[in-house]
Amino acid sequence: MRKAAVVIAAVLIMLAVSSCASGSLSGLYEEDVLRPARVKLDFSGDSVTLTSLKGDLLTGTFTASGDVVEITFPPAEAHALGLRQVMNGLRSGDKIIFEDYTFLRMPSALEKIISWMPALLNASWITLSLTVLSVCAALILSVFLALGKLSKNFITRNLSNAYVFFFRGTPLLMQIFFIYYGLPLIHSALTIQSRYMAAFIAFTLNIAAYVAEIIRAAIQSIDKGQMEASKALGLSYAQAMRLVIIPQAYRRMIPPICNEFVMVLKDTSLVFVIGLMDLTSQTRKIQSSNNTTLVFIPAMALYLVMTSVFTSVFNRLEERLSRYE
Amino acid sequence: MKRIFALLISVILLASAAACSEGSTDGGSGAGDGSNIGAGSGGIKSPADFAGKKIAVQDETTADESIALMIDDGMDIDVFRYPQVINCFDDLKIGRVDAVYVDSVVAAFYTTGSTEYQRVWLSDEAEPLGICLDKNSENLLAAIEAAVDTLYYNGEMANISRKHFGEDLTAGLRNVTSEPVIPPVSDDDLRTPGVFSVGADIGYPPMEYYDRDGTTPIGFDIDVGKAIADLLGLEHKVIDTAWDGIFDSVERGDFDCIMSSVSITVPRQQRHLLTQPYVANALCIVVKN
């Protein structure tokens, strides 16, 4: 957690320094759009009044030549209202007069990043929740798969093997695509309405295959002597597994499962194919609509924060479990 | 360890419940499996009927911007945004969305002679398409304009339009009365000498899409690009580029121009060079029958 805090602090300091160098208060003409925002313009004579969505009023002057209307607002007043956003589809009354992009004040790098943060945080919520939920669900499924692989029962063993073989052998991207677009073509009852749900299912099934192997390896790495001793004490196979073997295997599983969490966090960027807005797609959307690569800094910082949350949780888990070893 | 498993399970249950009931307009909406199949057009006759409906659009297109404005106005629309327009029609076919809000050139491909889809509305505001170049390519722009004028003059443009749309969607866009003179294109104007490289997001029928074999690009833009390259005496090369990075790519110089159903809008005209319109287009709504 400390590492993440240091990273964020460093990034913020860099941006604060750069923001002092840039940023001016004159009404500059520039391109920079995040989302179209609505304002209402009333033209009369050669003055124009702007009413923002919040009801703020601002008066300026305008000149029109052909299709181009140039509007100038006094920068100090514009700044006082905090009107930094770009206006699209300006209207006077109910008629669209023109489409143009005007910045009332050139925002500094830090201000731009702050304006992007809500969208980025929203998207990282999707990323984070998808990761946590699908890995958690996969953990449960994979315990059964792992035990299935170790089972003496012919059917169980081969079913588990087949499952792991299929879901590890095909790309996650194809699996997401297939579950969302392919299943409905097989049978309309298999249509999954929610994109989030489809992504969740695809991720769970895929991750379960990988984690099953992790768990199986962890179980098999426990000394054979433990099983023999349990049997000697009269425990059944199931009791031995539940009470002796698996508790010891936990500690061996922690580092690879933490790895899995961290990998899945990045794999969530694949959900763009079914139109789900995760952190990576949101970042690229901001990058293309603002024509700037500045947005990658907060995006990468967010990924680092999420990763460090996982690693610190698993580190503490490992510490607690190694108390008795 | 039991506590941790219990925690895991409760986390999943709680969060699944929360996620399922999320009603955001950017995906993650709706719940249940296939409960809304065959919802049908639900009586959509114009964009005013979008309220409360599920509409698919391609990300970063003019249709996307138009719907965003409608949502800002307070309309409650469930928007499904996709990286490619073919995904929108996939969803329409499956029944996940009620309608697709798309360019008329694409709609023509799906609705002409089809009993499955129909177009229910066409916008009055025209959205003509242009060829997009980097700001520093004035010489190439002049040459391309003259080449397009030549295609209008000798009727080739109308032929290509009829081939792909079934009708001449270019009629009346340009009035060329005499044979245009094409200025020569020097090697400096091109990224690769002798090659007219064009960027396109191939997956936008009938403008640019892949043939049945899955590798040959075909379409209106491809044919027009080939015709322009022939007139300029260059080799025509099409570079498949994802739509959401295509404008960055032309600025960076990955190719000479974009011919990928680029609508002429003022912000794009400010950032890049756009030719005069070469084919007419408008926004429209496609629903399933």
Side-chain angles (χ1 to χ4, degrees), chain A residues 114-128:
Chain A
I114 293 175
S115 72
W116 294 326
M117 280 317 275
L120 289 178
L121 285 173
N122 225 5
S124 35
W125 171 243
I126 301 235
T127 300
L128 190 62

Side-chain angles (χ1 to χ4, degrees), chain B residues 18-37:
Chain B
C20 281
S21 54
E22 251 168 45
S24 74
T25 51
D26 280 287
S29 58
D33 288 16
S35 53
N36 283 345
I37 329 154

Side-chain angles (χ1 to χ4, degrees), chain A residues 51-290:
Chain A
T51 321
S52 82
L53 283 173
K54 283 186 282 198
D56 301 320
L57 279 180
L58 186 63
T59 315
T61 54
F62 79 101
T63 51
S65 58
D67 280 23
V68 177
V69 180
E70 206 171 349
I71 299 181
T72 317
F73 290 112
E77 272 130 297
H79 176 52
L81 283 181
L83 280 176
R84 287 188 302 240
Q85 271 290 330
V86 154
M87 297 163 276
N88 186 14
L90 302 170
R91 293 164 173 239
S92 172
D94 275 333
K95 198 172 117 198
I96 299 182
I97 299 217
F98 68 101
E99 268 190 319
D100 201 355
Y101 286 79
T102 311
F103 238 156
L104 294 178
R105 176 174 163 252
M106 186 161 68
S108 64
L110 189 57
E111 284 171 336
K112 280 191 203 174
I113 289 184
I114 293 175
S115 72
W116 294 326
M117 280 317 275
L120 289 178
L121 285 173
N122 225 5
S124 35
W125 171 243
I126 301 235
T127 300
L128 190 62
S129 61
L130 190 60
T131 308
V132 172
L133 291 181
S134 49
V135 176
C136 289
L139 277 173
I140 296 174
L141 178 58
S142 58
V143 168
F144 294 108
L145 278 173
L147 292 173
K149 283 194 108 180
L150 293 168
S151 153
K152 300 225 177 35
N153 186 327
F154 177 79
I155 299 177
T156 327
R157 197 172 57 239
N158 282 329
L159 268 177
S160 309
N161 276 332
Y163 179 98
V164 171
F165 174 67
F166 178 75
F167 279 98
R168 276 202 313 183
T170 48
L172 178 55
L173 188 62
M174 282 175 108
Q175 289 168 15
I176 296 174
F177 221 84
F178 182 75
I179 287 178
Y180 190 68
Y181 287 117
L183 285 184
L185 296 177
I186 297 177
H187 192 327
S188 66
L190 292 170
T191 312
I192 301 171
Q193 276 294 108
S194 160
R195 289 182 281 191
Y196 193 87
M197 187 55 77
F200 170 68
I201 293 175
F203 272 92
T204 302
L205 295 175
N206 182 286
I207 298 165
Y210 287 92
V211 180
E213 284 296 288
I214 294 173
I215 296 182
R216 180 186 64 80
I219 291 178
Q220 284 185 320
S221 71
I222 304 293
D223 217 295
K224 265 210 171 1
Q226 298 288 307
M227 184 53 109
E228 285 169 10
S230 324
K231 289 250 172 84
L233 285 172
L235 296 171
S236 72
Y237 179 79
Q239 282 175 314
M241 271 291 171
R242 193 165 50 90
L243 297 167
V244 178
I245 309 286
I246 292 186
Q248 289 182 62
Y250 287 144
R251 183 145 177 267
R252 319 257 166 127
M253 291 183 224
I254 305 282
I257 288 183
C258 178
N259 227 18
E260 197 62 37
F261 257 110
V262 173
M263 278 200 329
V264 172
L265 192 65
K266 316 309 179 333
D267 281 344
T268 50
S269 58
L270 293 172
V271 295
F272 79 94
V273 290
I274 53 175
L276 206 48
M277 189 68 73
D278 81 301
L279 184 52
T280 304
S281 350
Q282 180 69 280
T283 311
R284 292 192 60 206
K285 191 165 186 180
I286 295 177
Q287 181 222 351
S288 66
S289 61
N290 292 42

Side-chain angles (χ1 to χ4, degrees), chain A residues 1 4 128 258 261-263 265-266 300-314:
Chain A
M1 218 52 221
L128 190 62
C258 178
F261 257 110
V262 173
M263 278 200 329
L265 192 65
K266 316 309 179 333
M300 286 196 283
L302 279 170
Y303 270 117
L304 286 173
V305 168
M306 291 193 277
T307 304
S308 56
V309 167
F310 287 134
T311 43
S312 63
V313 165
F314 278 95

